[in-house]
Amino acid sequence: MAIRFVLEKPKVFNRIKLGEKPLICVPMVSYDTETINNFKKIRNKIDLIEIRIDHFFNDSLDLNFFEIIKSINIPYIFTFRAHWESDKREQAKVINDSIRIKWYNEAIKNDASIIDFELSSIKKNDNFRDVIKKAKDKNIGVILSYHNFNETPDKNTLLSIIEEENYFGADIFKFSTMVKKISDLLIIDEVTYIIRDTYKKPVITMGMGDIGKISRITTSMYGNDVIFAHSGMGSAPGQILYEKMIGIVELFY
């Protein structure tokens, strides 16, 4: 068994525990009957779904959506990604914060295990503070996240970002950066270790791109608690097919 920097006191949120074995999460980036049925088929193989509602949101989507998501019966992360940090880049939908906040509040009412929004969102709009409070009142984990699709910043820049995430009340720290060279991997691994050692909280870190794929495995040794994998369609460059990731996690962790 591989050495892993586990939490001495794992954090328990609604239906999940973070800090022990890394969990495998598959993003939902489309919404139709086939997608729902596929997730029902794999629900005993994965630990989490990330509902990336920004990928398929439209004005006709109603709140019955959450009843269908709950019927899958897998703990879920609810994410309504802001367009400026979306993996869809220039094609991302621009959605008003008031709509995003409404849907976050509905996810909190509808059994989400974790919610995820950007550090930049709460810095731009204080109304996200109320979302955090409502989530914490229901023992729903709050991820504050940072995404950089251009590069991996230096160690001190990333640690400064994590310090801000902590200041604004993150239960779970997250950053995802583009890896262009091997030294970027070393930065991501080291920062993951420092975060775990300093804050004693769950952490989600990863590198994007072809070179970044290896970070989805190595960061778990240093404390990364959630590994994102895909089931055919991914939500970020560098994700690995979930079936392959299951084997890797079983082998090492």
Side-chain angles (χ1 to χ4, degrees):
M1 177 161 308
I3 296 170
R4 171 166 156 77
F5 194 169
V6 299
L7 284 175
E8 184 176 340
K9 295 181 180 179
K11 305 297 182 182
V12 179
F13 302 108
N14 181 24
R15 298 193 293 160
I16 65 162
K17 182 186 291 187
L18 295 179
E20 295 182 336
K21 178 181 176 180
L23 306 184
I24 295 176
C25 179
V26 174
M28 178 186 288
V29 295
S30 61
Y31 179 59
D32 51 41
T33 301
E34 181 181 2
T35 298
I36 299 300
N37 288 337
N38 284 340
F39 273 102
K40 288 179 178 179
K41 289 177 183 177
I42 67 172
R43 63 183 163 200
N44 294 322
K45 298 179 181 180
I46 63 176
D47 302 295
L48 282 165
I49 302 176
E50 183 189 34
I51 307 300
R52 281 296 305 273
I53 195 170
D54 51 290
H55 270 252
F56 51 81
F57 181 79
N58 58 62
D59 292 337
S60 65
L61 193 65
D62 61 37
L63 297 180
N64 184 56
F65 167 81
F66 286 105
E67 294 303 316
I68 295 172
I69 295 303
K70 286 190 284 186
S71 74
I72 300 174
N73 196 27
I74 308 177
Y76 70 93
I77 302 171
F78 182 82
T79 304
F80 203 147
R81 184 69 66 225
H83 67 275
W84 60 83
E85 285 192 38
S86 171
D87 52 288
K88 299 191 80 171
R89 313 309 293 141
E90 291 78 11
Q91 285 73 47
K93 298 175 183 177
V94 179
I95 306 294
N96 187 281
D97 276 354
S98 62
I99 295 174
R100 295 174 62 217
I101 288 171
K102 171 190 172 182
W103 279 82
Y104 276 112
N105 286 332
E106 291 297 329
I108 290 167
K109 294 176 185 176
N110 282 279
D111 206 31
S113 293
I114 298 171
I115 60 170
D116 172 356
F117 56 84
E118 311 75 27
L119 171 65
S120 56
S121 283
I122 197 169
K123 291 173 72 173
K124 289 173 180 282
N125 189 336
D126 276 349
N127 291 325
F128 280 98
R129 292 176 184 264
D130 186 56
V131 176
I132 290 177
K133 183 180 184 304
K134 288 177 180 177
K136 289 177 180 286
D137 286 347
K138 294 194 69 174
N139 193 37
I140 292 169
V142 176
I143 296 172
L144 293 183
S145 53
Y146 166 80
H147 308 84
N148 189 323
F149 292 90
N150 298 314
E151 63 179 357
T152 295
D154 63 68
K155 179 178 75 173
N156 290 334
T157 298
L158 288 173
L159 289 174
S160 178
I161 289 166
I162 296 301
E163 185 176 351
E164 286 191 280
E165 291 180 4
N166 188 60
Y167 171 80
F168 283 104
D171 296 309
I172 304 154
F173 305 116
K174 181 182 176 185
F175 72 80
S176 178
T177 62
M178 182 60 68
V179 174
K180 294 184 175 179
K181 52 188 184 296
I182 297 297
S183 58
D184 291 342
L185 295 171
L186 299 177
I187 292 172
I188 293 170
D189 285 345
E190 182 181 7
V191 172
T192 302
Y193 177 86
I194 292 171
I195 296 169
R196 179 71 114 203
D197 191 46
T198 302
Y199 295 99
K200 308 296 191 292
K201 286 184 178 182
V203 56
I204 302 173
T205 59
M206 70 206 78
M208 294 181 283
D210 286 340
I211 303 175
K213 285 181 181 179
I214 189 64
S215 71
R216 296 173 185 270
I217 302 165
T218 60
T219 55
S220 295
M221 182 168 66
Y222 299 107
N224 177 34
D225 290 303
V226 178
I227 302 172
F228 288 85
H230 71 83
S231 60
M233 292 178 63
S235 64
Q239 286 178 0
I240 299 171
L241 185 67
Y242 83 92
E243 292 169 310
K244 293 182 178 179
M245 190 56 74
I246 288 170
I248 291 168
V249 171
E250 288 178 349
L251 177 64
F252 286 104
Y253 303 109

